[in-house]
Amino acid sequence: MSAVPADRLLITVAPTGAETTKADCPQLPTTLEELVATAKECEAAGAAMIHVHIRDDEHRPTLDLGRLTDTVTALKESTDLVVQLSTGGSVHDPLESRLKVLDAEPDSCSLTMGTTNFGDDVFLNPWPFVCELYQLSQDRGVVPEFELFDLGQVHALNRLLERYGLPAGGKVHVDLVMGVPGGMNGTTDALVAAVRDLPAATTSWSATGIGRSTLAVMLASLSKGGHLRVGMEDVLTLSRGVPVESNAQLVQRAVEVGQLAQRTPMTPDEARSLLGLDNLR
Ligand code: KMH
Ligand code: ZN
């Protein structure tokens, strides 16, 4: 496929995450049926990629390999979305289980470039683990999305690419995860600094702002020509005191804000081209 036109906007939906409980947020998609229904709605609304965390029968985060594999299969049968599995899991998941996520054969996996204070917890990503996961993704032909929570992780990504070369598929896609308590601020200034220092090999990048930073980061990303990640993993209110009812509502809002910036939502096929998945077929 030819190059994706510059006015196209990649919208990734992160519908569930690992932090919010079903009890606190009954509209959070935690069962496979709910996840598939959400994925279909979000695809219809304009999303091209889905970033997936799954839950067990008690709605608790899990990295159970059988469930992950069934989830990839179900999403591929029911949608055309690029399926990205989280290798971050929850802050309680052991590193070995996080490496095994790639056995579920997703199109893409998240790959966080360093350890981050995560609210009162620690999201552990020691350098040797980052290197092992990256090399595994290269061996398996899984396209990583480099998740950067902090400016130091921008530097770490430069170091990783210098040491191990390009990802499977040959493209470098980055997601700036901003506004996590312990990571970089969800501000235009922080976004500009992070984008300025991205590796020269970067071919695309998106950004998401956690909680109330969501709109500031969305506007900053669009104004710098970036892409967007939205979803209930990252934000649960539309405005102060107004709860999000569905992930599709957040995708719809991203489409509308993107339209103001004269950007058109990318199709899943265009996303595959953008991310280098075409080169792996
Ligand atoms: N749940 C966070 C601890 C990822 O998906 O790779 C990690 C996270 C990042 O959400
Ligand atoms: Zn995640």
Side-chain angles (χ1 to χ4, degrees):
M1 187 187 269
S2 52
V4 180
D7 72 336
R8 295 296 193 276
L9 175 63
L10 172 66
I11 300 177
T12 300
V13 63
T16 309
E19 283 70 42
T20 303
T21 66
K22 186 76 164 175
D24 284 343
C25 184
Q27 64 274 38
L28 192 75
T30 51
T31 68
L32 183 55
E33 293 68 31
E34 289 169 344
L35 183 65
V36 168
T38 296
K40 286 176 166 173
E41 286 167 22
C42 291
E43 182 179 14
M49 177 152 74
I50 185 164
H51 167 85
V52 179
H53 291 253
I54 62 165
R55 304 291 177 100
D56 65 14
D57 288 339
E58 277 72 52
H59 309 282
R60 292 174 307 210
T62 178
L63 291 180
D64 179 84
L65 187 56
R67 278 181 186 260
L68 284 171
T69 307
D70 291 348
T71 301
V72 172
T73 303
L75 288 169
K76 289 201 156 291
E77 275 171 9
S78 309
T79 75
D80 195 33
L81 294 169
V82 176
V83 177
Q84 178 184 97
L85 289 181
S86 166
T87 64
S90 91
V91 290
H92 307 293
D93 286 317
L95 300 180
E96 312 83 71
S97 315
R98 291 171 50 194
L99 290 169
K100 289 216 178 319
V101 167
L102 268 54
D103 291 353
E105 299 185 0
D107 299 314
S108 170
C109 66
S110 58
L111 200 168
T112 296
M113 285 307 306
T115 295
T116 308
N117 283 321
F118 198 83
D120 294 339
D121 296 304
V122 177
F123 177 29
L124 201 63
N125 296 284
W127 177 246
F129 168 75
V130 170
C131 295
E132 191 176 349
L133 179 55
Y134 184 49
Q135 290 175 92
L136 196 60
S137 74
Q138 289 174 314
D139 290 348
R140 299 286 181 86
V142 177
V143 170
E145 173 180 277
F146 299 103
E147 298 213 349
L148 308 181
F149 288 67
D150 216 337
L151 287 184
Q153 294 175 14
V154 181
H155 181 218
L157 177 58
N158 277 282
R159 199 170 155 229
L160 187 82
L161 297 177
E162 272 164 28
R163 186 171 293 185
Y164 296 105
L166 291 174
K171 303 286 179 73
V172 177
H173 178 68
V174 168
D175 183 48
L176 304 173
V177 184
M178 311 184 69
V180 168
M184 63 181 144
N185 267 350
T187 61
T188 299
D189 289 342
L191 183 138
V192 168
V195 171
R196 179 197 62 202
D197 291 344
L198 286 175
T202 304
T203 45
S204 58
W205 59 272
S206 60
T208 183
I210 304 301
R212 70 185 62 160
S213 72
T214 185
L215 286 172
V217 169
M218 184 181 292
L219 293 165
S221 181
L222 289 170
S223 76
K224 286 286 285 177
H227 299 281
L228 303 176
R229 176 176 116 172
V230 295
M232 293 172 74
E233 173 166 346
D234 300 338
V235 64
L236 293 167
T237 54
L238 288 173
S239 57
R240 190 185 292 272
V242 181
V244 172
E245 286 160 24
S246 72
N247 280 286
Q249 205 178 18
L250 292 170
V251 172
Q252 185 59 45
R253 180 167 74 172
V255 170
E256 287 164 12
V257 178
Q259 274 163 350
L260 285 176
Q262 301 186 347
R263 303 277 296 277
T264 305
M266 202 175 280
T267 65
D269 268 346
E270 287 173 327
R272 277 184 268 280
S273 178
L274 183 87
L275 299 170
L277 283 158
D278 277 357
N279 304 331
L280 293 169
R281 280 190 188 142

